[in-house]
PDB file of all heavy atoms in Angstrom:
ATOM      1  N   TYR M  51     -15.622   5.317 -10.812  1.00 98.00           N
ATOM      2  CA  TYR M  51     -16.783   4.439 -10.627  1.00 98.00           C
ATOM      3  C   TYR M  51     -17.978   5.195 -10.035  1.00 98.00           C
ATOM      4  O   TYR M  51     -19.138   4.835 -10.329  1.00 98.00           O
ATOM      5  CB  TYR M  51     -16.408   3.202  -9.800  1.00 98.00           C
ATOM      6  CG  TYR M  51     -15.443   2.293 -10.523  1.00 98.00           C
ATOM      7  CD1 TYR M  51     -14.158   2.058 -10.068  1.00 98.00           C
ATOM      8  CD2 TYR M  51     -15.818   1.671 -11.713  1.00 98.00           C
ATOM      9  CE1 TYR M  51     -13.265   1.255 -10.745  1.00 98.00           C
ATOM     10  CE2 TYR M  51     -14.919   0.850 -12.422  1.00 98.00           C
ATOM     11  CZ  TYR M  51     -13.646   0.640 -11.952  1.00 98.00           C
ATOM     12  OH  TYR M  51     -12.787  -0.155 -12.637  1.00 98.00           O
ATOM     13  N   LEU M  52     -17.712   6.208  -9.226  1.00 98.00           N
ATOM     14  CA  LEU M  52     -18.842   7.032  -8.714  1.00 98.00           C
ATOM     15  C   LEU M  52     -19.547   7.707  -9.872  1.00 98.00           C
ATOM     16  O   LEU M  52     -20.764   7.742  -9.939  1.00 98.00           O
ATOM     17  CB  LEU M  52     -18.322   8.124  -7.776  1.00 98.00           C
ATOM     18  CG  LEU M  52     -18.176   7.781  -6.274  1.00 98.00           C
ATOM     19  CD1 LEU M  52     -17.435   8.894  -5.548  1.00 98.00           C
ATOM     20  CD2 LEU M  52     -19.519   7.505  -5.622  1.00 98.00           C
ATOM     21  N   ALA M  53     -18.764   8.256 -10.818  1.00 98.00           N
ATOM     22  CA  ALA M  53     -19.350   8.942 -11.956  1.00 98.00           C
ATOM     23  C   ALA M  53     -19.978   7.959 -12.929  1.00 98.00           C
ATOM     24  O   ALA M  53     -21.071   8.188 -13.467  1.00 98.00           O
ATOM     25  CB  ALA M  53     -18.277   9.798 -12.649  1.00 98.00           C
ATOM     26  N   LYS M  54     -19.296   6.850 -13.141  1.00 98.00           N
ATOM     27  CA  LYS M  54     -19.765   5.918 -14.191  1.00 98.00           C
ATOM     28  C   LYS M  54     -20.922   5.034 -13.736  1.00 98.00           C
ATOM     29  O   LYS M  54     -21.910   4.852 -14.470  1.00 98.00           O
ATOM     30  CB  LYS M  54     -18.601   5.049 -14.638  1.00 98.00           C
ATOM     31  CG  LYS M  54     -18.971   4.190 -15.846  1.00 98.00           C
ATOM     32  CD  LYS M  54     -17.866   3.166 -16.156  1.00 98.00           C
ATOM     33  CE  LYS M  54     -18.370   2.250 -17.269  1.00 98.00           C
ATOM     34  NZ  LYS M  54     -17.758   0.912 -17.174  1.00 98.00           N
ATOM     35  N   LEU M  55     -20.805   4.470 -12.527  1.00 98.00           N
ATOM     36  CA  LEU M  55     -21.794   3.473 -12.104  1.00 98.00           C
ATOM     37  C   LEU M  55     -22.858   4.032 -11.209  1.00 98.00           C
ATOM     38  O   LEU M  55     -23.925   3.417 -11.053  1.00 98.00           O
ATOM     39  CB  LEU M  55     -21.109   2.314 -11.367  1.00 98.00           C
ATOM     40  CG  LEU M  55     -19.987   1.624 -12.147  1.00 98.00           C
ATOM     41  CD1 LEU M  55     -19.337   0.554 -11.264  1.00 98.00           C
ATOM     42  CD2 LEU M  55     -20.548   0.946 -13.418  1.00 98.00           C
ATOM     43  N   HIS M  56     -22.615   5.170 -10.555  1.00 97.00           N
ATOM     44  CA  HIS M  56     -23.590   5.694  -9.606  1.00 97.00           C
ATOM     45  C   HIS M  56     -24.185   7.004 -10.008  1.00 97.00           C
ATOM     46  O   HIS M  56     -24.913   7.636  -9.262  1.00 97.00           O
ATOM     47  CB  HIS M  56     -22.965   5.751  -8.215  1.00 97.00           C
ATOM     48  CG  HIS M  56     -22.478   4.425  -7.734  1.00 97.00           C
ATOM     49  ND1 HIS M  56     -23.276   3.438  -7.258  1.00 97.00           N
ATOM     50  CD2 HIS M  56     -21.200   3.864  -7.710  1.00 97.00           C
ATOM     51  CE1 HIS M  56     -22.567   2.377  -6.931  1.00 97.00           C
ATOM     52  NE2 HIS M  56     -21.334   2.572  -7.222  1.00 97.00           N
ATOM     53  N   GLY M  57     -23.785   7.478 -11.211  1.00 95.00           N
ATOM     54  CA  GLY M  57     -24.450   8.676 -11.785  1.00 95.00           C
ATOM     55  C   GLY M  57     -24.246   9.951 -11.008  1.00 95.00           C
ATOM     56  O   GLY M  57     -25.031  10.889 -11.127  1.00 95.00           O
ATOM     57  N   ILE M  58     -23.174  10.033 -10.206  1.00 96.00           N
ATOM     58  CA  ILE M  58     -22.935  11.250  -9.445  1.00 96.00           C
ATOM     59  C   ILE M  58     -22.186  12.213 -10.386  1.00 96.00           C
ATOM     60  O   ILE M  58     -21.155  11.874 -10.927  1.00 96.00           O
ATOM     61  CB  ILE M  58     -22.182  10.980  -8.138  1.00 96.00           C
ATOM     62  CG1 ILE M  58     -23.089  10.115  -7.242  1.00 96.00           C
ATOM     63  CG2 ILE M  58     -21.801  12.275  -7.397  1.00 96.00           C
ATOM     64  CD1 ILE M  58     -22.422   9.643  -5.978  1.00 96.00           C
ATOM     65  N   LYS M  59     -22.749  13.424 -10.517  1.00 92.00           N
ATOM     66  CA  LYS M  59     -22.199  14.340 -11.507  1.00 92.00           C
ATOM     67  C   LYS M  59     -21.124  15.257 -10.976  1.00 92.00           C
ATOM     68  O   LYS M  59     -20.224  15.646 -11.666  1.00 92.00           O
ATOM     69  CB  LYS M  59     -23.333  15.223 -12.083  1.00 92.00           C
ATOM     70  CG  LYS M  59     -24.408  14.415 -12.827  1.00 92.00           C
ATOM     71  CD  LYS M  59     -23.983  14.080 -14.238  1.00 92.00           C
ATOM     72  CE  LYS M  59     -24.971  13.161 -14.922  1.00 92.00           C
ATOM     73  NZ  LYS M  59     -24.538  11.762 -14.976  1.00 92.00           N
ATOM     74  N   SER M  60     -21.275  15.630  -9.697  1.00 97.00           N
ATOM     75  CA  SER M  60     -20.371  16.657  -9.179  1.00 97.00           C
ATOM     76  C   SER M  60     -19.388  16.026  -8.208  1.00 97.00           C
ATOM     77  O   SER M  60     -19.666  15.770  -7.015  1.00 97.00           O
ATOM     78  CB  SER M  60     -21.273  17.699  -8.489  1.00 97.00           C
ATOM     79  OG  SER M  60     -20.613  18.370  -7.518  1.00 97.00           O
ATOM     80  N   ILE M  61     -18.212  15.771  -8.728  1.00 98.00           N
ATOM     81  CA  ILE M  61     -17.161  15.076  -7.958  1.00 98.00           C
ATOM     82  C   ILE M  61     -15.826  15.818  -8.152  1.00 98.00           C
ATOM     83  O   ILE M  61     -15.514  16.246  -9.249  1.00 98.00           O
ATOM     84  CB  ILE M  61     -16.958  13.619  -8.435  1.00 98.00           C
ATOM     85  CG1 ILE M  61     -18.268  12.837  -8.436  1.00 98.00           C
ATOM     86  CG2 ILE M  61     -15.893  12.892  -7.609  1.00 98.00           C
ATOM     87  CD1 ILE M  61     -18.185  11.476  -9.096  1.00 98.00           C
ATOM     88  N   ALA M  62     -15.085  15.908  -7.073  1.00 98.00           N
ATOM     89  CA  ALA M  62     -13.715  16.478  -7.195  1.00 98.00           C
ATOM     90  C   ALA M  62     -12.743  15.519  -6.525  1.00 98.00           C
ATOM     91  O   ALA M  62     -13.086  14.876  -5.529  1.00 98.00           O
ATOM     92  CB  ALA M  62     -13.631  17.832  -6.522  1.00 98.00           C
ATOM     93  N   VAL M  63     -11.535  15.413  -7.126  1.00 98.00           N
ATOM     94  CA  VAL M  63     -10.452  14.683  -6.494  1.00 98.00           C
ATOM     95  C   VAL M  63      -9.406  15.736  -6.143  1.00 98.00           C
ATOM     96  O   VAL M  63      -8.936  16.445  -7.038  1.00 98.00           O
ATOM     97  CB  VAL M  63      -9.811  13.637  -7.468  1.00 98.00           C
ATOM     98  CG1 VAL M  63      -8.636  12.970  -6.793  1.00 98.00           C
ATOM     99  CG2 VAL M  63     -10.894  12.604  -7.862  1.00 98.00           C
ATOM    100  N   VAL M  64      -9.073  15.843  -4.843  1.00 97.00           N
ATOM    101  CA  VAL M  64      -8.033  16.806  -4.464  1.00 97.00           C
ATOM    102  C   VAL M  64      -6.779  16.059  -4.056  1.00 97.00           C
ATOM    103  O   VAL M  64      -6.836  15.071  -3.363  1.00 97.00           O
ATOM    104  CB  VAL M  64      -8.468  17.765  -3.333  1.00 97.00           C
ATOM    105  CG1 VAL M  64      -9.560  18.702  -3.803  1.00 97.00           C
ATOM    106  CG2 VAL M  64      -8.903  17.000  -2.089  1.00 97.00           C
ATOM    107  N   GLU M  65      -5.682  16.511  -4.623  1.00 97.00           N
ATOM    108  CA  GLU M  65      -4.399  15.810  -4.450  1.00 97.00           C
ATOM    109  C   GLU M  65      -3.357  16.774  -3.927  1.00 97.00           C
ATOM    110  O   GLU M  65      -3.216  17.869  -4.491  1.00 97.00           O
ATOM    111  CB  GLU M  65      -3.969  15.161  -5.794  1.00 97.00           C
ATOM    112  CG  GLU M  65      -2.547  14.765  -5.916  1.00 97.00           C
ATOM    113  CD  GLU M  65      -2.067  13.770  -4.878  1.00 97.00           C
ATOM    114  OE1 GLU M  65      -2.824  12.807  -4.547  1.00 97.00           O
ATOM    115  OE2 GLU M  65      -0.927  13.912  -4.375  1.00 97.00           O
ATOM    116  N   ARG M  66      -2.616  16.377  -2.906  1.00 96.00           N
ATOM    117  CA  ARG M  66      -1.580  17.265  -2.318  1.00 96.00           C
ATOM    118  C   ARG M  66      -0.469  17.533  -3.298  1.00 96.00           C
ATOM    119  O   ARG M  66      -0.001  18.684  -3.409  1.00 96.00           O
ATOM    120  CB  ARG M  66      -1.047  16.544  -1.077  1.00 96.00           C
ATOM    121  CG  ARG M  66       0.042  17.328  -0.348  1.00 96.00           C
ATOM    122  CD  ARG M  66       0.483  16.553   0.842  1.00 96.00           C
ATOM    123  NE  ARG M  66       1.210  15.375   0.458  1.00 96.00           N
ATOM    124  CZ  ARG M  66       2.219  14.829   1.126  1.00 96.00           C
ATOM    125  NH1 ARG M  66       2.560  15.378   2.285  1.00 96.00           N
ATOM    126  NH2 ARG M  66       2.813  13.697   0.750  1.00 96.00           N
ATOM    127  N   GLY M  67       0.011  16.517  -3.998  1.00 95.00           N
ATOM    128  CA  GLY M  67       1.131  16.700  -4.948  1.00 95.00           C
ATOM    129  C   GLY M  67       0.629  16.602  -6.364  1.00 95.00           C
ATOM    130  O   GLY M  67      -0.129  17.451  -6.826  1.00 95.00           O
ATOM    131  N   TRP M  68       1.073  15.545  -7.031  1.00 94.00           N
ATOM    132  CA  TRP M  68       0.569  15.335  -8.401  1.00 94.00           C
ATOM    133  C   TRP M  68       0.052  13.906  -8.512  1.00 94.00           C
ATOM    134  O   TRP M  68       0.330  13.064  -7.681  1.00 94.00           O
ATOM    135  CB  TRP M  68       1.718  15.556  -9.424  1.00 94.00           C
ATOM    136  CG  TRP M  68       2.863  14.616  -9.266  1.00 94.00           C
ATOM    137  CD1 TRP M  68       3.051  13.435  -9.958  1.00 94.00           C
ATOM    138  CD2 TRP M  68       3.982  14.709  -8.362  1.00 94.00           C
ATOM    139  NE1 TRP M  68       4.197  12.839  -9.525  1.00 94.00           N
ATOM    140  CE2 TRP M  68       4.788  13.559  -8.571  1.00 94.00           C
ATOM    141  CE3 TRP M  68       4.390  15.648  -7.404  1.00 94.00           C
ATOM    142  CZ2 TRP M  68       5.988  13.380  -7.897  1.00 94.00           C
ATOM    143  CZ3 TRP M  68       5.568  15.420  -6.721  1.00 94.00           C
ATOM    144  CH2 TRP M  68       6.359  14.284  -6.937  1.00 94.00           C
ATOM    145  N   LEU M  69      -0.782  13.692  -9.554  1.00 93.00           N
ATOM    146  CA  LEU M  69      -1.473  12.392  -9.697  1.00 93.00           C
ATOM    147  C   LEU M  69      -0.477  11.229  -9.758  1.00 93.00           C
ATOM    148  O   LEU M  69       0.461  11.241 -10.540  1.00 93.00           O
ATOM    149  CB  LEU M  69      -2.323  12.385 -10.964  1.00 93.00           C
ATOM    150  CG  LEU M  69      -3.484  13.326 -10.990  1.00 93.00           C
ATOM    151  CD1 LEU M  69      -4.384  13.040 -12.150  1.00 93.00           C
ATOM    152  CD2 LEU M  69      -4.281  13.296  -9.704  1.00 93.00           C
ATOM    153  N   GLY M  70      -0.743  10.259  -8.910  1.00 88.00           N
ATOM    154  CA  GLY M  70       0.109   9.068  -8.961  1.00 88.00           C
ATOM    155  C   GLY M  70       1.509   9.294  -8.455  1.00 88.00           C
ATOM    156  O   GLY M  70       2.386   8.490  -8.737  1.00 88.00           O
ATOM    157  N   GLY M  71       1.771  10.398  -7.762  1.00 92.00           N
ATOM    158  CA  GLY M  71       3.118  10.678  -7.265  1.00 92.00           C
ATOM    159  C   GLY M  71       3.433  10.011  -5.939  1.00 92.00           C
ATOM    160  O   GLY M  71       4.559  10.052  -5.476  1.00 92.00           O
ATOM    161  N   GLY M  72       2.437   9.389  -5.379  1.00 93.00           N
ATOM    162  CA  GLY M  72       2.643   8.682  -4.097  1.00 93.00           C
ATOM    163  C   GLY M  72       2.887   7.198  -4.350  1.00 93.00           C
ATOM    164  O   GLY M  72       3.677   6.829  -5.218  1.00 93.00           O
ATOM    165  N   ASN M  73       2.168   6.359  -3.598  1.00 95.00           N
ATOM    166  CA  ASN M  73       2.432   4.933  -3.701  1.00 95.00           C
ATOM    167  C   ASN M  73       2.050   4.344  -5.028  1.00 95.00           C
ATOM    168  O   ASN M  73       2.559   3.291  -5.416  1.00 95.00           O
ATOM    169  CB  ASN M  73       1.722   4.174  -2.586  1.00 95.00           C
ATOM    170  CG  ASN M  73       2.275   4.517  -1.227  1.00 95.00           C
ATOM    171  OD1 ASN M  73       3.324   5.216  -1.132  1.00 95.00           O
ATOM    172  ND2 ASN M  73       1.660   4.110  -0.184  1.00 95.00           N
ATOM    173  N   THR M  74       1.098   5.013  -5.756  1.00 96.00           N
ATOM    174  CA  THR M  74       0.694   4.458  -7.053  1.00 96.00           C
ATOM    175  C   THR M  74       1.903   4.369  -8.015  1.00 96.00           C
ATOM    176  O   THR M  74       2.012   3.423  -8.778  1.00 96.00           O
ATOM    177  CB  THR M  74      -0.394   5.347  -7.708  1.00 96.00           C
ATOM    178  OG1 THR M  74      -1.497   5.360  -6.795  1.00 96.00           O
ATOM    179  CG2 THR M  74      -0.845   4.821  -9.037  1.00 96.00           C
ATOM    180  N   GLY M  75       2.798   5.345  -7.926  1.00 95.00           N
ATOM    181  CA  GLY M  75       3.983   5.333  -8.751  1.00 95.00           C
ATOM    182  C   GLY M  75       5.225   4.741  -8.084  1.00 95.00           C
ATOM    183  O   GLY M  75       6.306   4.883  -8.617  1.00 95.00           O
ATOM    184  N   ARG M  76       5.047   4.143  -6.926  1.00 95.00           N
ATOM    185  CA  ARG M  76       6.207   3.686  -6.167  1.00 95.00           C
ATOM    186  C   ARG M  76       6.172   2.168  -5.923  1.00 95.00           C
ATOM    187  O   ARG M  76       7.132   1.619  -5.364  1.00 95.00           O
ATOM    188  CB  ARG M  76       6.253   4.358  -4.792  1.00 95.00           C
ATOM    189  CG  ARG M  76       6.582   5.826  -4.895  1.00 95.00           C
ATOM    190  CD  ARG M  76       6.367   6.570  -3.554  1.00 95.00           C
ATOM    191  NE  ARG M  76       6.528   7.970  -3.713  1.00 95.00           N
ATOM    192  CZ  ARG M  76       7.709   8.615  -3.525  1.00 95.00           C
ATOM    193  NH1 ARG M  76       8.726   7.948  -3.124  1.00 95.00           N
ATOM    194  NH2 ARG M  76       7.774   9.869  -3.741  1.00 95.00           N
TER     195      ARG M  76
END
Side-chain angles (χ1 to χ4, degrees):
Chain M
Y51 293 115
L52 272 171
K54 187 189 174 208
L55 303 177
H56 301 283
I58 296 174
K59 297 278 174 259
S60 153
I61 305 171
V63 177
V64 293
E65 161 61 39
R66 179 180 68 148
W68 64 94
L69 294 190
N73 293 351
T74 302
R76 291 169 187 268

